[in-house]
Amino acid sequence: MGLHRSGPDREVLVLALKFGVRAVDTAYNYQGGASHRLLRQRAGDLLEGLKISTKVGFFPSPGGTVRQIGRASCRERV
């Protein structure tokens, strides 16, 4: 299940698990850069039952999305 448009909505995740969904796709830049934090806050107790796939290398910035990949770029933004 992709979280790009829906975001980490707890009710949606509970229903997804009920219907057999076990994989969630997210990325750092979803939800204005808050996707991972919101997922943990809203559904942290559900994460054990899910496989989380995340994209890397896309970071929000004032001028638009910055695309970087590599140890230095990831470490600077975490």
Side-chain angles (χ1 to χ4, degrees):
M1 180 173 87
L3 299 181
H4 177 51
R5 287 188 170 60
S6 68
D9 183 281
R10 182 177 179 81
E11 290 180 37
V12 171
L13 290 167
V14 167
L15 283 172
L17 283 165
K18 179 180 176 180
F19 288 104
V21 173
R22 296 291 180 261
V24 172
D25 174 56
T26 190
Y28 172 82
N29 61 324
Y30 291 179
Q31 307 301 307
S35 178
H36 293 155
R37 184 178 65 253
L38 291 172
L39 182 60
R40 184 187 68 228
Q41 288 172 350
R42 296 177 183 171
D45 59 318
L46 304 176
L47 297 180
E48 195 170 300
L50 295 167
K51 288 177 106 176
I52 307 297
S53 171
T54 191
K55 295 168 190 70
V56 297
F58 298 90
F59 303 100
S61 72
T65 301
V66 175
R67 291 168 179 85
Q68 295 177 329
I69 194 156
R71 296 181 131 224
S73 62
C74 292
R75 187 171 44 245
E76 290 167 7
R77 300 186 189 288
V78 173

